[in-house]
Amino acid sequence: MIDPGRTHALVVAVEAYEDSDWNVSGPYSDACAFISWLVDGCGVPDTNVTLFASPLPASLPEPEDDPVLPAGVLAQEASSSVLSRHLQEGMGNLEADLLWVFWSGHGLIDSSGSHVLVLADSTVSTKRVVDVDALQLALQSTRLGARDGRGVLKIAVAVNACQNQPREDWISKVEVGVQRSYVTERGLFVMHACSTGQRARIPREKPPRGKAASLFPRALLRFLDDGSRDVLPDLHQVSDRVDAEFEELRKKRLTLQKPSLLRRNWGGRTTATGEFLVPPTAEEEHLAALLDDILPGATARGACAARLKERVPVVVPVSVGARQPTSQQIVTAAARTPHGVSTLLDLLATLPGAEADEDLLQTLREAGREVRPNEFLTREEHSQLVDLLAAPGAPDPRATALYDGRLRHLVDDTGDSEALLRSMEASGCRTGARLIPQLFRFTSLLAAEAETQSGDDMGLVEWSTRVAQRTGHAGALAARLATARREAARRRGAKAWLLVRLDVDDPEARTGGARYTHSAWLIDPVSRHPQTLPSESGKRLSTWRQTQVALAELIEPFIDMRHEGSDGQVDLGVEFFLPNSQLELQVERLPVCHRGVDNIPLGHLTTVVVRCAGRRTAWHHRWNACQRNKAPGAHHWLQQDAHDLAALKAALDGRPNIACVELSGHCAEFTPALAYCVQAGVPVMTWHRRIDGERRDDDLAELRIVHPRHLPEEVRQLRSEADGSSVPGSNHLVLLWDDPARLPPRIRPQVPGRIPQL
């Protein structure tokens, strides 16, 4: 415990001002209660307390009353000259383990954004003040304390003063002796009664004699005076308890105060809590100037501030002596509150007394985007969207966003829906009506996914439409919703999949030179489970040419599938499961007959996926390990030319964490690289396979670099893009090991020379 005999206190209480309009009752009672705790409660000598006070006559005791101060505490005038001299020269020889500083009186935020404390000799024309930041620097300077500042070890400060923003043009800051030489090891713990933009509340009821009058000193002294007579209890714990009490008071709507805290080198750390204000930016000043044109009268500004408080939990400061806030105060308050500026701009369109046409409102909206470029939703719109995402049965926002390649870079690993919304909103809304903001792409995708899953869009379509009409994106949103619904239908089984497995009699034979047998299953969007397709020809070993004919006869009836009662055509996709030595079979070029035309490559009509039927256990384990490992950069696509097998082998050997490989190069050279990847248990992804190995100009977009655990979503997106493309041959997509969950039924380990039968 700190020795009370080596504890000193500097106490300031300002109630009476030369400008009598600023007179306030309460600070003197606060100061007397604080001194009583130090002297009577902790045993600090009364001669160690220095008091500067300007009490109102009503605050002083009557001659017949008991004194409110210890006999050794003598009050000095709380004027600028007296206090300035004491701060600069009066504490140079101080020897103390602890210096308590307590200040209660008027405070304000000046035009530069600094928090200042008003002194007693402030007149109508000039407010004489002490800058709080300068005071804190003075308390850490070498001029405070004997032996070049080493005489004072710790300083604890409690400031009970408002931090609202009255517009005072004539403010004179008092010199407090700030210099560049500081005692860096001295701990400083500063507690403020409120945060920027707020008033320090004084309850109307008169306190009992000897008790604090203001809300913050009451709570602070109750937790400081814990009966231990410790002049320095754990201030972290005290501050936490004060914060908790004010949190309860705010919930009961008894106050808006939120205490703030700053500590420097206290316990070896420097931190700050609460809400601190910075000077108005140029963008905020520009917006305030425009707002002056729309709200020229004080009545209109007052109505605007009242409506803003109803829609956003914002504190709009009001100048001392003024009845209504200025436009700058309204803008500053809105800019310091999430979604405050957007809400302010939205209410101006319907605010009684606002003088604005559509052109001026549009100019105002553009200026508002300069103030908060990462926000365009109003407070109500943001809250409603958060509630919609948290509703029971809603699709997973993060997983759904991964379906869209343009949104994938906005998804982080936290899984926090609000963080995802902030990222989507921050991507911008500055585009014209032809381009849709990323947030609307996301809500369209989410609404379509919800409709497909449960038949209910969860209110997302109504929300998106309402917001898009306000921002001018209604047409773009309607088009995007239609596209998102089509893509969601594909993801939910609007495509029938034909699974075909090939087996060979000679694994050493060249690609296309072996003899094959095949098995097939159908997964359609109605039954949702594999149906075995009978094929007697598939049970006999045949050449590749004969097998192509048999497969064409098997596939052709399903290319234009229709279900009874279905209004539209069901798309077909074909997945081939090939042995490791036959992965270069050009199955996407399998010739089929379609609408009377012979020899149409299968890949021109439907999506074709190729997979390896063997070695699935090793890569499946590696895939699962990749999904569990969320460390960024641990797994990558490895782009290597297929002809450089030695380089590919060395890369895979040297980087065991590689989970997926994209192969580029000539199609005929893929086989050895594919075989090595199969042996290494590494999933592989390729693009359109062509004889010349070149990509055409009208091919799909370049492959996006994604983490392997996002690969299933990447594949779904690629399939969707391929299916929706009108370019002939765009369905030549070739994917290997794209999704460990999709395996053909009844796959069993092969025994050499044995062909599995149905």
Side-chain angles (χ1 to χ4, degrees):
M1 294 177 61
I2 298 291
D3 181 3
R6 289 183 56 81
T7 298
H8 287 251
L10 170 63
V11 181
V12 181
V14 188
E15 290 188 337
Y17 298 83
E18 288 190 30
D19 180 2
S20 59
D21 287 342
W22 281 61
N23 289 352
V24 59
S25 62
Y28 189 69
S29 297
D30 299 335
C32 292
F34 185 81
I35 294 172
S36 176
W37 168 68
L38 285 175
V39 176
D40 300 332
C42 300
V44 175
D46 54 12
T47 54
N48 287 6
V49 178
T50 302
L51 172 63
F52 296 89
S54 61
L56 291 170
S59 300
L60 297 173
E62 297 293 336
E64 64 274 11
D65 294 333
D66 294 331
V68 293
L69 288 173
V73 178
L74 301 177
Q76 303 179 58
E77 183 183 7
S79 62
S80 56
S81 58
V82 175
L83 189 60
S84 173
R85 182 167 183 174
H86 181 78
L87 290 174
Q88 293 186 74
E89 302 176 4
M91 295 185 289
N93 296 319
L94 187 62
E95 287 277 0
D97 293 339
L98 171 67
L99 172 63
W100 262 107
V101 178
F102 180 88
W103 192 302
S104 186
H106 274 306
L108 55 90
I109 301 294
D110 67 8
S111 58
S112 67
S114 299
H115 184 199
V116 296
L117 305 172
V118 186
L119 297 172
D121 53 344
S122 295
T123 65
V124 175
S125 59
T126 304
K127 298 298 178 285
R128 293 177 173 81
V129 300
V130 170
D131 187 293
V132 172
D133 288 337
L135 175 62
Q136 291 172 177
L137 291 175
L139 292 175
Q140 287 196 297
S141 71
T142 55
R143 294 190 67 177
L144 172 64
R147 297 177 283 114
D148 288 330
R150 292 191 298 274
V152 177
L153 302 181
K154 286 188 174 183
I155 299 176
V157 183
V159 179
N160 180 54
C162 300
Q163 294 193 46
N164 59 329
Q165 198 173 22
R167 181 168 288 178
E168 295 294 339
D169 296 331
W170 296 100
I171 290 181
S172 175
K173 293 186 179 180
V174 174
E175 177 62 43
V176 293
V178 176
Q179 58 177 9
R180 295 186 178 182
S181 181
Y182 302 105
V183 184
T184 56
E185 67 272 14
R186 180 183 294 159
L188 180 69
F189 200 107
V190 184
M191 295 172 284
H192 290 271
C194 56
S195 296
T196 302
Q198 299 178 348
R199 291 174 179 268
R201 183 168 176 262
I202 300 177
R204 292 184 178 180
E205 68 274 8
K206 189 175 181 180
R209 182 170 295 276
K211 299 295 183 182
S214 306
L215 205 58
F216 175 71
R218 283 187 189 180
L220 177 63
L221 287 171
R222 185 163 62 255
F223 295 118
L224 287 174
D225 191 6
D226 57 1
S228 65
R229 296 182 64 83
D230 187 356
V231 76
L232 187 66
D234 186 348
L235 293 187
H236 297 97
Q237 188 178 53
V238 169
S239 178
D240 290 343
R241 289 177 176 177
V242 171
D243 288 346
E245 178 161 316
F246 273 85
E247 179 67 26
E248 291 299 319
L249 292 174
R250 288 195 298 274
K251 289 180 180 178
K252 297 176 182 177
R253 300 184 181 274
L254 297 177
T255 184
L256 294 175
Q257 277 182 247
K258 183 176 183 181
S260 54
L261 167 69
L262 169 69
R263 62 176 185 264
R264 289 178 177 167
N265 200 36
W266 192 277
R269 292 181 296 174
T270 297
T271 58
T273 64
E275 300 168 356
F276 295 92
L277 188 68
V278 296
T281 63
E283 293 78 11
E284 292 170 5
E285 292 177 348
H286 175 54
L287 181 60
L290 293 173
L291 194 63
D292 274 331
D293 296 333
I294 295 179
L295 305 173
T299 303
R301 291 196 301 273
C304 178
R307 287 279 299 277
L308 184 62
K309 290 178 181 179
E310 292 174 358
R311 297 179 58 179
V312 183
V314 61
V315 177
V316 180
V318 180
S319 302
V320 173
R323 293 186 177 182
Q324 305 297 351
T326 64
S327 296
Q328 182 67 69
Q329 289 168 337
I330 294 174
V331 169
T332 302
R336 301 301 185 266
T337 306
H339 299 96
V341 172
S342 302
T343 306
L344 170 64
L345 300 178
D346 185 58
L347 68 85
L348 289 175
T350 58
L351 183 69
E355 301 177 3
D357 54 21
E358 186 55 38
D359 291 340
L360 184 53
L361 284 174
Q362 184 59 35
T363 303
L364 204 68
R365 293 188 189 104
E366 293 298 326
R369 290 182 182 132
E370 297 293 336
V371 175
R372 293 298 290 257
N374 293 336
E375 294 175 356
F376 63 88
L377 297 181
T378 66
R379 175 75 178 187
E380 299 94 328
E381 291 166 350
H382 179 266
S383 300
Q384 290 166 2
L385 185 54
V386 170
D387 293 340
L388 289 173
L389 297 188
D396 182 357
R398 181 179 175 278
T400 305
L402 292 173
Y403 289 148
D404 192 328
R406 296 187 182 182
L407 303 179
R408 209 165 287 137
H409 69 284
L410 300 172
V411 182
D412 56 22
D413 290 331
T414 63
D416 182 359
S417 296
E418 287 207 51
L420 179 62
L421 285 185
R422 287 194 297 271
S423 178
M424 299 287 182
E425 188 179 5
S427 63
C429 187
R430 296 172 180 266
T431 57
R434 294 177 299 172
L435 299 177
I436 188 170
Q438 301 289 49
L439 181 63
F440 291 160
R441 288 184 66 92
F442 171 63
T443 56
S444 302
L445 182 64
L446 205 63
E449 191 72 11
E451 284 178 341
T452 307
Q453 289 182 11
S454 61
D456 181 9
D457 63 22
M458 315 289 292
L460 289 163
V461 172
E462 179 185 354
W463 181 93
S464 302
T465 303
R466 184 173 64 253
V467 179
Q469 287 175 345
R470 178 176 65 80
T471 59
H473 296 87
L477 174 67
R480 185 60 202 166
L481 268 171
T483 303
R485 283 165 173 153
R486 288 195 299 269
E487 293 174 351
R490 285 195 188 95
R491 288 193 298 271
R492 288 294 164 184
K495 180 185 283 292
W497 286 95
L498 188 65
L499 310 180
V500 179
R501 172 176 172 138
L502 294 181
D503 290 295
V504 295
D505 63 339
D506 183 7
E508 301 298 325
R510 62 179 176 82
T511 302
R515 290 169 58 83
Y516 301 87
T517 183
H518 63 268
S519 309
W521 300 263
L522 177 67
I523 303 177
D524 66 51
V526 175
S527 64
R528 295 295 184 91
H529 63 272
Q531 307 171 43
T532 302
L533 299 180
S535 177
E536 292 300 324
S537 61
K539 298 180 181 180
R540 300 189 298 269
L541 289 168
S542 306
T543 64
W544 176 233
R545 183 177 181 81
Q546 294 169 329
T547 302
Q548 283 182 308
V549 173
L551 289 176
E553 294 176 350
L554 179 69
I555 294 172
E556 285 168 358
F558 299 102
I559 291 178
D560 289 329
M561 288 183 59
R562 287 181 182 273
H563 288 288
E564 184 178 352
S566 175
D567 296 330
Q569 179 175 307
V570 177
D571 293 332
L572 177 72
V574 185
E575 296 189 4
F576 287 90
F577 294 84
L578 306 180
N580 351 357
S581 61
Q582 304 291 315
L583 293 174
E584 287 310 311
L585 279 176
Q586 301 291 294
V587 290
E588 70 276 6
R589 303 189 181 207
L590 192 150
V592 295
C593 178
H594 181 59
R595 296 178 180 176
V597 180
D598 292 327
N599 298 323
I600 299 179
L602 179 64
H604 284 202
L605 302 175
T606 184
T607 303
V608 177
V609 176
V610 176
R611 306 195 215 214
C612 180
R615 293 286 296 180
R616 67 184 179 89
T617 302
W619 79 261
H620 190 272
H621 288 334
R622 181 176 289 208
W623 182 285
N624 289 335
C626 171
Q627 288 179 309
R628 289 191 299 268
N629 185 354
K630 295 185 178 181
H635 308 276
H636 306 273
W637 293 96
L638 178 66
Q639 297 182 343
Q640 291 281 353
D641 287 339
H643 68 271
D644 192 358
L645 183 60
L648 176 63
K649 183 178 186 302
L652 292 176
D653 289 341
R655 297 174 65 184
N657 286 333
I658 288 293
C660 290
V661 172
E662 180 202 1
L663 296 178
S664 60
H666 293 288
C667 153
E669 298 168 337
F670 277 175
T671 298
L674 290 172
Y676 187 82
C677 289
V678 168
Q679 295 170 7
V682 178
V684 180
M685 185 177 192
T686 71
W687 277 82
H688 299 181
R689 300 193 298 186
R690 306 187 184 283
I691 294 298
D692 56 6
E694 299 295 329
R695 296 181 181 176
R696 300 191 317 191
D697 293 338
D698 57 2
D699 231 345
L700 291 179
E702 291 294 323
L703 177 67
R704 291 174 286 269
I705 304 301
V706 298
H707 192 286
R709 70 173 176 276
H710 297 161
L711 187 56
E713 292 85 358
E714 176 76 12
V715 168
R716 281 190 283 267
Q717 181 72 14
L718 293 174
R719 283 177 175 166
S720 175
E721 292 175 1
D723 293 342
S725 175
S726 60
V727 178
S730 63
N731 284 325
H732 286 176
L733 188 63
V734 178
L735 308 171
L736 303 177
W737 299 287
D738 61 312
D739 187 345
R742 283 182 62 84
L743 296 173
R746 300 185 62 183
I747 287 186
R748 298 174 181 173
Q750 291 192 43
V751 177
R754 174 174 176 252
I755 299 174
Q757 301 293 325
L758 290 176

